[in-house]
Amino acid sequence: MPNAAEQHFQGGENVKPSLIDTDILSLFFRNHSKVADRFASYLVQHKKINFSIITYYEIVSGLKHRDAYKKMSQFLEFASKNSVFPLTEKSVTVSGEIYAELRKEGNPLDDIDLLIAGTAIVNNMVLITRNKHHFERIRKLEVENWSSPYYGEPLDVLLGIFHDDGSFITFYYDSRRFEVLKDSEEK
């Protein structure tokens, strides 16, 4: 009998290769149930988790700062069994183009995020991040949030409105619930 992850793909669903951002990888190492389940489903089809050398740097620097030797060992073992994507001339060039475009629009992102985005775009991958609204400014980038309680659930209606104070309110509706989520990141 197939496990839950295998059942997820029985319908022939083809999941695009994904690049995992630092925040999602950190949740995975903290045993976040939604993220861990999504990793398991993804691995049925793709066999390895992909992340950038920038994410590798962010995880290593954070663990070294905290002197977390046991977690460092676990991370290094995890990295050795998965795929760490390097920066290339092509990915850095794409990142530079995105920087220029966003800067002209008055909506820049920090360099680390641009380098991760460039790596995902050049390798034709979906970027998996909790900072979905942050990265959605990049037109060529496909973004998903595997930690969201709504990830992968069919919704009958998705509606968003701007409130008078500039905040964005998202309404998610399906036959089981009606919930309003206020995203404090958007103003």
Side-chain angles (χ1 to χ4, degrees):
M1 179 164 191
N3 65 30
E6 291 165 339
Q7 288 175 353
H8 179 76
F9 289 102
Q10 279 185 347
E13 179 183 351
N14 187 17
V15 176
K16 192 172 178 181
S18 299
L19 189 72
I20 308 300
D21 193 13
T22 309
D23 55 359
I24 296 290
L25 195 55
S26 294
L27 287 175
F28 173 75
F29 282 109
R30 285 186 267 152
N31 298 314
H32 185 282
S33 63
K34 279 225 169 261
V35 172
D37 289 348
R38 189 64 186 138
F39 271 48
S41 294
Y42 181 84
L43 287 169
V44 169
Q45 188 171 8
H46 292 284
K47 308 301 180 211
K48 288 188 176 187
I49 296 295
N50 305 313
F51 56 99
S52 75
I53 194 67
I54 300 297
T55 293
Y56 185 100
Y57 160 76
E58 289 183 308
I59 298 284
V60 167
S61 63
L63 293 173
K64 283 191 176 282
H65 172 73
R66 293 189 350 236
D67 291 326
Y69 300 109
K70 183 177 179 184
K71 288 183 180 184
M72 176 68 78
S73 177
Q74 292 169 341
F75 172 72
L76 294 176
E77 182 179 345
F78 174 86
S80 72
K81 294 178 180 177
N82 289 288
S83 299
V84 180
F85 281 72
L87 294 177
T88 63
E89 287 181 28
K90 190 172 181 181
S91 69
V92 171
T93 299
V94 167
S95 299
E97 291 166 358
I98 296 166
Y99 170 83
E101 183 179 310
L102 293 177
R103 182 91 190 250
K104 284 178 188 172
E105 295 172 359
N107 207 6
L109 288 175
D110 63 68
D111 291 330
I112 283 182
D113 290 339
L114 292 171
L115 292 168
I116 290 170
T119 301
I121 291 168
V122 165
N123 290 287
N124 195 30
M125 293 182 179
V126 177
L127 180 62
I128 309 302
T129 183
R130 286 180 73 179
N131 296 320
K132 188 173 178 183
H133 300 294
H134 179 77
F135 280 101
E136 284 179 334
R137 293 184 251 172
I138 302 170
R139 290 180 193 91
K140 300 175 190 172
L141 183 63
E142 189 176 343
V143 183
E144 293 179 2
N145 178 359
W146 288 357
S147 68
S148 169
Y150 302 104
Y151 180 79
E153 290 188 19
L155 298 173
D156 297 321
V157 176
L158 172 62
L159 171 70
I161 61 171
F162 281 98
H163 196 268
D164 292 339
D165 67 1
S167 61
F168 189 79
I169 300 174
T170 305
F171 296 94
Y172 296 94
Y173 176 77
D174 71 16
S175 58
R176 296 173 301 255
R177 68 180 165 272
F178 185 72
E179 240 178 286
V180 178
L181 300 178
K182 192 171 189 177
D183 189 342
S184 61
E185 289 182 29
E186 297 188 61
K187 292 254 174 188

